[in-house]
Amino acid sequence: MKGKKILVVGSGIAGLATSLRLIRRGYEVEILEKNSMAGGRMNLIEENGFKFDTGPTFFSMSYEFDELAADIQKELPFELKELNPLYTVWYDEPGKRYTIYKDLDKLASEFAKVEPGFREKMEAYLETTARLYYDTESLIIKNNFDSLMDYASTLIRVPMVHFPKLFRTFWKEVSRYFKSEDVREILSLVSFFLGGTPFDTPSVFTMLSFTEFVHDGYYNVSGGMYKIVEGFVQMLESNGVKVHYNTEIVDIETNGAELQSLVDQNNRKWTSDIYVINSDAAFFRGKVLKREKYSEENLDRKRWTMAPFTIYLGINQKLPELKMHNYFLRGNFREYSDKIYTSQASLEQAYYYVNVVSRFNRQAAPEGKESIFILCPVPDLRFKSDWSDRGEIADAIITDLSRRTGYDINDKIISKTILSPIEWRDKFNLHRGSGLGLGHSMRQMGYLRPSNRDEKFENLFYTGSSTLPGTGIPMAIISSKLVTERIEKKYGSILTDLH
Ligand SMILES: Cc1cc2nc3c(=O)[nH]c(=O)nc-3n(C[C@H](O)[C@H](O)[C@H](O)COP(=O)(O)OP(=O)(O)OC[C@H]3O[C@@H](n4cnc5c(N)ncnc54)[C@H](O)[C@@H]3O)c2cc1C
């Protein structure tokens, strides 16, 4: 493999992590990025002295970053900070609020009134989710599959005790342990992090309750999430990796068996021995490789995760009543969940998440001010294509937030940026504006997800959300490990110390 060159298309977290692993293995790497900044969805908005992380605001499974650090034999260039408490859930009834702790005694006291015996029930629930996690992590999540046969024979090795979970939803599984609707709803929120709802997410994902409450909790990074991107880019650049910004790959050239070059929007050709695509693995196959299986119509038939509607506000006062991570729910959880991804009606009484960015990262707002991020999951562009009402939708959410927190936020806004699914689609090439990529139904997992090895071109590979294993930051790091294993197996490696 000596001297082999790899072009990585996209500088999202998966593209950056893959590049780090590849230079450690002696490859020469260059990155081509559509936008003028690295990071993809994990980006940064700066406006009028306020700073906002564009997408992710916290993550679980921080040990995946430790695994990456061990793999490249370098310390992480950022500092992880564990969240305590995890988050706060606000219901619409006055004063009805729950603080969600990892500590089971504290959590049990939050639910003492609504769920008698909560602690024992939670222990039983977490024991099952722990078993599920340990029995599937290395078999299913951290595994490449070469064929359907390989996948099927791996699935059979999962202990039979977990099989009923394949046929239950997240909600059904949680309901087997808890009677209180509030407890069921709150424990199910993690399925929204996967971009689905508890009513359509398979119960195998209850293993996330284990990662949430026991195994690791949630983490942020000192100075904000974008520190991860800055740190990785700096590490790559100091090891000779060049990132070419404002370079969008729109076409390819091939000799049949192999990809010969990539073509950018200015018709410039980029040639390499090996190619790794961090652009969405399903979208790229359709849009750039023009594969019929991934045509727009065929992609529309797949299950996609939520589209984000995001608001970034600079506020001319402090908001001490708001906690760092807040979920604002109402009393119609089931009805709302059923409509949320397909109906515009759901926006009239939106559920949303609010992160007070400057509570944790003080440099994110000028003295005495606050920067806040609001995320509302909305229908993707298949179900709502016109977002000319984005201003009204944002105003309705901000008015609701003011009413529920007691601050007149509308009067105090000095900076406002809104991203609808249209902007998310256009900026990062996300199919129909879906924020987390392909959904996680049983038919879109493991071997059934778009592979990280191209079906046709031997020297083409994929990393990121819509390929193996799935979406979210820890999965992107695992994805970088899986694709690197593929490349190393085929082309070899010469371990090289990084500066
Ligand atoms: C609003 C929102 C909130 C989220 N919150 C969380 C959270 O709290 N915790 C969590 O773990 N996850 C969260 N996620 C999910 C997380 O952001 C993603 O799973 C992760 O960042 C995806 O990384 P990636 O590398 O796979 O893709 P991306 O970040 O999308 O990177 C792909 C890169 O490829 C570039 N690109 C695309 N097409 C081309 C092309 N043709 N040519 C050149 N470059 C191209 C893009 O510009 C982009 O930089 C959130 C996502 C969103 C949208």
Side-chain angles (χ1 to χ4, degrees):
M1 59 75 63
K2 198 161 172 30
K4 281 234 184 285
K5 183 175 162 187
I6 304 193
L7 278 171
V8 175
V9 177
S11 63
I13 181 69
L16 297 176
T18 306
S19 302
L20 284 167
R21 293 186 198 272
L22 290 172
I23 55 169
R24 163 78 177 137
R25 284 165 178 76
Y27 290 91
E28 194 190 313
V29 173
E30 271 183 73
I31 302 178
L32 309 175
E33 168 54 52
K34 172 182 186 290
N35 287 297
S36 59
M37 281 171 73
R41 283 166 259 188
M42 192 154 82
N43 228 287
L44 182 71
I45 293 177
E46 289 187 86
E47 204 176 55
N48 301 334
F50 295 95
K51 282 187 187 180
F52 309 90
D53 287 311
T54 325
T57 48
F58 59 88
F59 54 90
S60 61
M61 300 166 80
S62 66
Y63 43 86
E64 294 305 333
F65 277 111
D66 297 334
E67 181 281 323
L68 172 64
D71 183 40
I72 60 172
Q73 291 284 293
K74 290 291 286 180
E75 283 196 5
L76 291 173
F78 48 83
E79 193 191 355
L80 297 169
K81 291 273 182 199
E82 189 171 0
L83 302 190
N84 184 18
L86 300 174
Y87 48 86
T88 303
V89 180
W90 301 58
Y91 280 88
D92 210 3
E93 294 97 308
K96 185 172 168 186
R97 223 187 279 179
Y98 295 98
T99 306
I100 306 307
Y101 297 96
K102 220 174 113 181
D103 181 297
L104 277 198
D105 287 327
K106 286 185 176 170
L107 189 62
S109 70
E110 287 292 306
F111 293 127
K113 285 201 187 114
V114 295
E115 184 78 54
F118 174 84
R119 201 195 151 98
E120 293 70 35
K121 293 175 186 173
M122 187 68 175
E123 277 170 349
Y125 172 65
L126 290 176
E127 199 184 309
T128 316
T129 60
R131 247 184 291 146
L132 183 62
Y133 176 82
Y134 287 119
D135 287 343
T136 55
E137 186 200 17
S138 56
L139 277 182
I140 310 293
I141 304 171
K142 293 187 174 172
N143 211 351
N144 279 315
F145 302 103
D146 290 326
S147 63
L148 191 54
M149 207 42 201
D150 177 21
Y151 184 47
S153 59
T154 309
L155 281 179
I156 295 171
R157 287 162 58 204
V158 175
M160 285 300 283
V161 65
H162 301 305
F163 268 58
K165 293 200 175 47
L166 294 176
F167 308 101
R168 280 184 210 132
T169 61
F170 199 113
W171 181 262
K172 268 228 162 87
E173 182 68 9
V174 168
S175 303
R176 294 175 68 227
Y177 292 85
F178 305 98
K179 289 209 159 46
S180 151
E181 289 290 300
D182 294 357
V183 174
R184 290 173 176 178
E185 289 170 11
I186 290 168
L187 292 183
S188 299
L189 285 177
V190 70
S191 61
F192 289 92
F193 302 174
L194 281 172
T197 79
F199 306 101
D200 64 15
T201 299
S203 69
V204 289
F205 288 103
T206 51
M207 73 172 80
L208 294 178
S209 298
F210 171 67
T211 62
E212 183 178 28
F213 286 103
V214 184
H215 199 198
D216 197 43
Y218 286 125
Y219 287 80
N220 203 307
V221 167
S222 291
M225 299 290 285
Y226 201 68
K227 289 285 173 207
I228 301 176
V229 175
E230 286 174 349
F232 282 170
V233 169
Q234 202 174 41
M235 210 183 244
L236 286 164
E237 286 180 343
S238 65
N239 282 281
V241 175
K242 179 143 181 49
V243 187
H244 302 270
Y245 295 102
N246 304 309
T247 305
E248 179 172 10
I249 298 309
V250 294
D251 207 351
I252 57 153
E253 287 184 337
T254 164
N255 62 9
E258 290 210 318
L259 190 61
Q260 278 188 316
S261 56
L262 300 167
V263 183
D264 74 17
Q265 79 277 21
N266 299 317
N267 216 20
R268 175 168 172 192
K269 294 187 179 120
W270 299 84
T271 303
S272 181
D273 301 302
I274 303 162
Y275 302 85
V276 178
I277 306 303
N278 172 220
S279 173
D280 185 282
F283 175 89
F284 191 88
R285 280 171 163 100
K287 190 77 177 178
V288 180
L289 303 183
K290 302 179 182 63
R291 302 251 167 92
E292 179 52 29
K293 187 176 170 197
Y294 295 95
S295 66
E296 200 158 63
E297 299 72 48
N298 285 334
L299 288 189
D300 278 350
R301 286 194 202 104
K302 292 191 179 291
R303 184 177 287 184
W304 290 89
T305 52
M306 61 108 183
F309 183 86
T310 48
I311 311 168
Y312 309 85
L313 298 177
I315 309 285
N316 198 10
Q317 73 167 72
K318 285 285 179 196
L319 306 169
E321 188 69 6
L322 259 178
K323 306 300 170 199
M324 198 155 88
H325 299 274
N326 310 266
Y327 290 89
F328 286 85
L329 312 185
R330 296 172 189 275
N332 57 344
F333 192 78
R334 174 75 207 228
E335 188 197 343
Y336 187 76
S337 299
D338 284 346
K339 285 192 192 146
I340 180 173
Y341 297 127
T342 53
S343 161
Q344 305 187 31
S346 62
L347 294 172
E348 284 156 23
Q349 293 219 311
Y351 283 39
Y352 51 92
Y353 158 81
V354 179
N355 173 220
V356 182
V357 187
S358 44
R359 179 73 44 80
F360 175 73
N361 175 12
R362 298 207 183 280
Q363 302 95 38
E367 195 57 38
K369 303 183 174 31
E370 209 90 90
S371 49
I372 67 173
F373 163 76
I374 304 176
L375 165 62
C376 178
V378 296
D380 70 37
L381 297 167
R382 285 174 297 180
F383 305 105
K384 175 168 162 58
S385 54
D386 180 2
W387 286 87
S388 52
D389 54 355
R390 54 167 73 67
E392 291 148 44
I393 295 171
D395 285 349
I397 293 172
I398 295 165
T399 302
D400 190 65
L401 180 62
S402 300
R403 177 180 67 77
R404 290 168 74 170
T405 56
Y407 298 110
D408 194 351
I409 294 172
N410 262 313
D411 262 10
K412 301 284 187 317
I413 296 172
I414 47 179
S415 158
K416 188 201 271 184
T417 304
I418 302 168
L419 300 184
S420 80
I422 295 181
E423 288 76 47
W424 280 98
R425 175 195 63 190
D426 295 346
K427 198 161 169 61
F428 302 113
N429 281 344
L430 303 178
H431 181 70
R432 302 289 186 201
S434 157
L436 305 179
L438 276 176
H440 296 84
S441 60
M442 296 312 292
R443 297 163 86 182
Q444 294 183 177
M445 275 168 24
Y447 182 75
L448 306 177
R449 219 167 161 79
S451 174
N452 54 9
R453 183 180 64 172
D454 194 57
E455 324 29 56
K456 194 167 165 205
F457 303 129
E458 286 170 15
N459 58 343
L460 176 58
F461 300 86
Y462 300 85
T463 187
S465 299
S466 285
T467 182
L468 266 64
T471 196
I473 292 171
M475 294 300 130
I477 302 298
I478 297 173
S479 186
S480 72
K481 180 172 154 54
L482 292 177
V483 75
T484 304
E485 280 171 12
R486 285 244 189 248
I487 295 170
E488 192 173 22
K489 194 170 162 198
K490 190 169 166 64
Y491 297 97
S493 61
I494 301 170
L495 287 185
T496 308
D497 288 339
L498 304 194
H499 312 303

